[in-house]
Amino acid sequence: MAPLPSPVAVWRRPLQALLLLACVSCTSGLGRQSRGTSPSLSALEAAQELAEGHETSAATQDTTAIGKVVQMLSEMLERSEANKKEADELQAQVAADCTKTQTETSDALKALETKIQKLDADIVQKNVEVKNLQDTITEQELLMVKESQALEILESDHKAEMANATQIVAALDRSIVALERAIEVLSAKASLVQAAPGALRSAVPMPPEARMALAEAARSVNTARRYTPDSQSSAGSINKDEHLFDEFNSLSTASTAFESQSGGVVEILGKLKNFMSELKDKKSVMMHGLKEEHKEAAAGKNTAITNARDAQSAAQGSMASTQALLQTATEDLAQAKENEQATTEYMATLTQSCDERAESHTEMSTLRENEITALAKAVEVIEGIGKPSSALLRVHIRSASAGRRHAPMGPSQTQSLIITLRENEITALAKAVEVIE
């Protein structure tokens, strides 16, 4: 809001005109007084008449130019005082608004500073979380590769072990079949030998079919022996009954021994068949156990791979969310810093504006105080015009009448005193004009 105009500035020219008019009245009065004094009157009577006329003029001052000047100056003084009061109240409101706005802006800056600090800490924390999640993803990837390789090795070893066990069982099956065939053939031929006369039994040669069956059984058993370990195991070992194989290998296919050996051969072959069957059963059980162990181990590896994959997927999802939050926090931080800079600049502009307004008010208040003082002084000066002169004139008249301090005044002395009084009035009016200017 612009400062109120000065009453003196508004009324300066009309006021100066009135003051000049009052000065003219004083000078013209001076001429009339000098010309209007009757030469037939004594100097003392003329002075008395002048004093009485001056007092009458002072009584009607409100209707004269000087009275109007005093009235106008008084109105200007009141208006100037009212304007100063209004300006002081307005400045008080402006100062309160400035203080309130500066406090709110300062609080906003503190809030922005706190927000920036929090965002900085959040960004650091989010970067750490992203780094940890990246490490987790890499670790789970390495774990999946490791478990996958272990599963491949497990599958390969299991496949080789099962192939070997299957081969052993097949060899045992062939041995059992060959032994069963040999037992069947030898049992049938032994019956024929027993039916021959006693003299002819020793001359009966071993039939070729029996020799072939026995030879095939020998080959199958020896083949099975090569597939089995020398040491005992949970599946058993063919070589644990070495004497049984020694007896089997000592069997003769010569015709002269067939009679005496035929019963023993069948018995030995039966024992060997039973042993082979038992060993086959153990191998079958072992294979079943291997399958179950492999199934459990493979399930463990697959579970580990699945868990690693799930953990990696969860870490990737968390990292995507964390990176999104990190991006948001980074953007919020940039915006907060921008707001802080704008608010700081606004605070500086606001402070400067408030300071300039306060300084301007101080200067204007000083001018108004000087104006009020000048107007009051002008009123005092103008109101005093004529009063001291009349009083001084009466003093001279009484002194002249009593004859105490002064001798009776002649016409020239009276005229000189009147001129002096008028000059004092003109000087006072000029001073009032100077004060107002």
Side-chain angles (χ1 to χ4, degrees), residues 142-175:
L142 294 176
L143 181 58
M144 283 192 292
V145 172
K146 178 182 177 181
E147 294 297 334
S148 297
Q149 292 175 347
L151 181 60
E152 291 178 0
I153 294 173
L154 181 65
E155 293 287 352
S156 177
D157 292 345
H158 176 69
K159 184 177 180 180
E161 195 170 13
M162 290 300 294
N164 181 60
T166 301
Q167 194 173 22
I168 292 174
V169 171
L172 291 173
D173 278 335
R174 289 192 296 270
S175 299

Side-chain angles (χ1 to χ4, degrees), residues 204-383:
V204 176
M206 179 178 288
E209 188 177 359
R211 287 198 301 270
M212 290 178 62
L214 190 59
E216 178 62 26
R219 284 195 299 272
S220 297
V221 170
N222 289 329
T223 300
R225 290 182 68 185
R226 288 196 300 271
Y227 284 130
T228 56
D230 293 334
S231 60
Q232 295 185 7
S233 66
S234 61
S237 173
I238 291 179
N239 295 331
K240 72 177 184 176
D241 292 330
E242 193 67 30
H243 65 282
L244 181 60
F245 289 94
D246 290 341
E247 291 179 1
F248 176 75
N249 290 329
S250 66
L251 294 176
S252 173
T253 60
S255 59
T256 56
F258 180 72
E259 182 183 358
S260 60
Q261 293 182 356
S262 61
V265 170
V266 172
E267 184 180 356
I268 292 173
L269 291 178
K271 290 180 180 180
L272 190 57
K273 174 197 168 185
N274 292 335
F275 175 74
M276 290 293 187
S277 297
E278 181 183 352
L279 186 60
K280 175 189 172 183
D281 292 339
K282 290 182 178 180
K283 281 291 183 180
S284 297
V285 173
M286 181 196 73
M287 289 178 67
H288 179 74
L290 289 175
K291 288 180 180 179
E292 293 299 323
E293 290 177 2
H294 172 263
K295 182 179 179 181
E296 183 177 355
K301 295 299 180 183
N302 285 321
T303 300
I305 292 172
T306 300
N307 291 339
R309 186 179 293 110
D310 291 344
Q312 186 184 54
S313 298
Q316 289 172 340
S318 297
M319 187 172 72
S321 300
T322 304
Q323 286 176 332
L325 293 174
L326 178 61
Q327 178 66 25
T328 301
T330 302
E331 292 174 356
D332 290 345
L333 177 62
Q335 184 63 48
K337 289 184 176 179
E338 183 178 346
N339 292 342
E340 182 185 35
Q341 181 178 359
T343 305
T344 301
E345 292 174 356
Y346 171 74
M347 184 67 167
T349 302
L350 175 65
T351 301
Q352 181 180 359
S353 176
C354 291
D355 292 344
E356 290 176 354
R357 180 59 185 265
E359 182 178 354
S360 174
H361 173 73
T362 300
E363 293 176 356
M364 182 57 66
S365 180
T366 301
L367 292 177
R368 289 193 184 280
E369 289 176 356
N370 294 337
E371 178 181 278
I372 291 170
T373 301
L375 288 172
K377 183 64 176 177
V379 170
E380 180 183 356
V381 169
I382 295 175
E383 285 181 341

Side-chain angles (χ1 to χ4, degrees), residues 30-63:
L30 176 61
R32 288 194 302 271
Q33 290 292 341
S34 61
R35 291 191 301 269
T37 303
S38 175
S40 62
L41 297 176
S42 65
L44 187 58
E45 291 174 346
Q48 181 67 33
E49 180 183 354
L50 177 61
E52 291 175 354
H54 193 63
E55 288 178 351
T56 301
S57 176
T60 59
Q61 181 174 310
D62 291 339
T63 61

Side-chain angles (χ1 to χ4, degrees), residues 44 394-409:
L44 187 58
R394 285 195 297 273
V395 168
H396 281 282
I397 292 173
R398 286 195 297 270
S399 298
S401 300
R404 296 175 181 175
R405 295 180 57 185
H406 300 283
M409 291 186 295

Side-chain angles (χ1 to χ4, degrees), residues 69-88:
V69 170
V70 171
Q71 182 180 358
M72 183 177 294
L73 287 176
S74 298
E75 292 175 355
M76 291 170 58
L77 177 61
E78 292 177 359
R79 185 175 300 178
S80 183
E81 290 175 343
N83 288 344
K84 182 178 183 303
K85 181 180 179 181
E86 182 180 353
D88 289 341

